[in-house]
């Protein structure tokens, strides 16, 4: 594990690339039928490698790097994908992230494309991705995905806030920080800033203006703003926005992250 970590850190991959890839691999898990997840590393196989949400061109380059590392340290690519995400979180937070090796790699022959294609997320609010506009609102789709994965309201909140602090968001919506390589509670602090007046531009695009100067200061999606407008989510956001909640925020993020990474590790369940 230590050898793999060193090789991952020596690669030219960014924190964002490593976190996004690990999330893309693990977040396909569905608690309803227990399909999907990081085990098998099917993100490198069709159809998952071609899904728009996974940024195919970026993904191909990253998987090639992981494949070389896996061969050098004699472990599965599935483990390297998750380990690299953990390494990125450790680098961004300064805190250790638990890792449980033991995943295997599936082959293309073991992967029925039609069967796995139904797992494709046409919208992923955690990454602020939406393939197109739907009759259902983006925040409702986020709620549905969270329920499908088996995440609680605090876990959804801390994961979205953490991802935004790392700059993980389509079109930069909800990225309210100047330090994208640091896991911080900046998203919540700036989201709840009452000096900002939010105005709707399109169905899923809002621009924030400074109330005094009228200057544009940030932009967000419906998913981002629901953490300030929904009473339950806003209450959770207020906790994480507190000055003395920075450590709690990081600890809670790591806990939720580790939960997602191990969703399909049935061998670890008691």
């Amino acid at each position: 594990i230590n050898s793999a970590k060193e090789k991952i850190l020596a690669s030219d991959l960014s924190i964002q690339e490593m976190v996004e890839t690990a999330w893309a691999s693990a977040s396909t898990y569905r608690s309803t039928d227990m399909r999907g997840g990081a085990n098998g590393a099917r993100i490198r196989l069709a159809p998952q490698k071609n899904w728009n949400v996974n940024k195919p061109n970026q993904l191909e380059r990253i998987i090639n790097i992981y494949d070389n590392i896996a061969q050098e340290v004699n472990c599965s690519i599935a483990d390297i994908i998750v380990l690299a995400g953990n390494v990125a979180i450790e680098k961004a937070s300064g805190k250790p992230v638990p890792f449980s090796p033991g995943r295997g790699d599936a082959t293309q022959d073991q992967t029925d494309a039609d069967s796995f294609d139904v797992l494709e997320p046409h919208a992923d609010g955690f990454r602020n991705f939406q393939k197109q506009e739907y009759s259902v609102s983006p925040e409702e789709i986020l709620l549905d995905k969270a329920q499908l994965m088996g995440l609680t309201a605090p876990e959804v909140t801390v994961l979205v806030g953490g991802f935004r602090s790392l700059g993980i968001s389509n079109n930069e919506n909800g990225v309210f920080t100047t330090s994208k390589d640091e896991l911080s509670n900046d998203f919540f602090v700036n989201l709840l800033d009452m000096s900002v007046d939010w105005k709707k531009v399109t169905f899923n695009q809002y621009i924030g203006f400074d109330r005094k100067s009228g200057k544009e200061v940030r932009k967000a999606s419906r998913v981002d703003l629901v953490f300030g407008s929904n009473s339950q989510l806003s209450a959770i956001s207020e906790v994480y926005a507190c000055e003395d909640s920075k450590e709690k925020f990081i600890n809670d993020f790591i806990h939720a992250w580790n939960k997602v990474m191990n969703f399909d590790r049935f061998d670890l369940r008691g």
Side-chain angles (χ1 to χ4, degrees):
I1 293 175
N2 289 333
S3 176
K5 279 187 172 183
E6 290 175 3
K7 294 180 184 299
I8 290 168
L9 287 169
S11 71
D12 63 349
L13 296 176
S14 68
I15 287 175
Q16 293 73 27
E17 288 172 331
M18 291 187 282
V19 170
E20 274 195 276
T21 303
W23 174 263
S25 181
S27 65
T28 54
Y29 179 78
R30 309 193 306 190
S31 63
T32 50
D33 57 10
M34 299 184 181
R35 295 190 63 201
N39 208 347
R42 284 190 166 90
I43 192 173
R44 77 195 200 286
L45 307 173
Q48 292 187 33
K49 68 177 183 179
N50 299 317
W51 291 346
N52 289 344
V53 67
N54 292 340
K55 302 178 180 177
N57 292 333
Q58 172 183 293
L59 178 62
E60 183 180 11
R61 177 176 61 84
I62 295 171
I63 292 299
N64 286 335
I65 293 173
Y66 288 168
D67 188 18
N68 291 332
I69 294 175
Q71 291 184 44
E72 290 175 7
V73 299
N74 191 30
C75 74
S76 68
I77 301 175
D79 269 345
I80 293 296
I81 290 172
V82 173
L83 181 61
N86 288 9
V87 167
I89 299 300
E90 289 180 341
K91 188 175 180 181
S93 68
K95 292 202 169 189
V97 179
F99 175 70
S100 299
R103 297 167 186 81
D105 292 333
T107 64
Q108 191 65 65
D109 291 339
Q110 296 169 331
T111 307
D112 180 75
D114 292 335
S115 175
F116 278 90
D117 208 35
V118 299
L119 298 177
E120 179 183 2
H122 294 285
D124 183 359
F126 293 93
R127 288 178 275 180
N128 246 339
F129 171 85
Q130 190 151 323
K131 203 170 184 178
Q132 63 186 59
E133 285 191 10
Y134 301 99
S135 57
V136 181
S137 68
E139 62 270 27
E140 288 176 296
I141 299 176
L142 171 70
L143 183 64
D144 182 65
K145 182 174 179 61
Q147 182 275 331
L148 196 62
M149 293 173 66
L151 294 172
T152 65
E155 289 168 344
V156 173
T157 304
V158 76
L159 284 169
V160 169
F163 286 165
R164 297 297 181 273
S165 77
L166 296 176
I168 297 174
S169 173
N170 195 39
N171 297 325
E172 292 291 305
N173 285 324
V175 180
F176 309 148
T177 185
T178 56
S179 180
K180 297 179 184 178
D181 287 339
E182 179 183 351
L183 185 63
S184 70
N185 65 343
D186 287 355
F187 172 77
F188 302 110
V189 172
N190 291 299
L191 174 69
L192 301 175
D193 184 357
M194 296 307 294
S195 68
V196 178
D197 179 29
W198 290 98
K199 294 183 179 180
K200 185 177 181 179
V201 179
T202 64
F203 175 70
N204 195 28
Q205 179 77 64
Y206 290 75
I207 301 295
F209 298 90
D210 183 271
R211 293 184 187 275
K212 290 184 178 180
S213 67
K215 180 182 177 182
E216 179 183 324
V217 290
R218 52 191 72 120
K219 59 182 181 178
S221 69
R222 294 176 65 100
V223 165
D224 299 320
L225 296 186
V226 77
F227 291 94
S229 62
N230 177 272
S231 59
Q232 183 181 359
L233 296 177
S234 178
I236 300 170
S237 296
E238 287 175 4
V239 172
Y240 288 129
C242 293
E243 180 68 25
D244 59 355
S245 289
K246 292 181 179 180
E247 186 170 358
K248 172 180 172 55
F249 164 75
I250 292 176
N251 290 337
D252 287 359
F253 179 90
I254 291 175
H255 176 78
W257 170 268
N258 192 49
K259 178 178 176 179
V260 174
M261 293 302 112
N262 291 318
F263 265 146
D264 63 346
R265 290 300 303 276
F266 309 114
D267 55 316
L268 300 179
R269 300 184 182 183

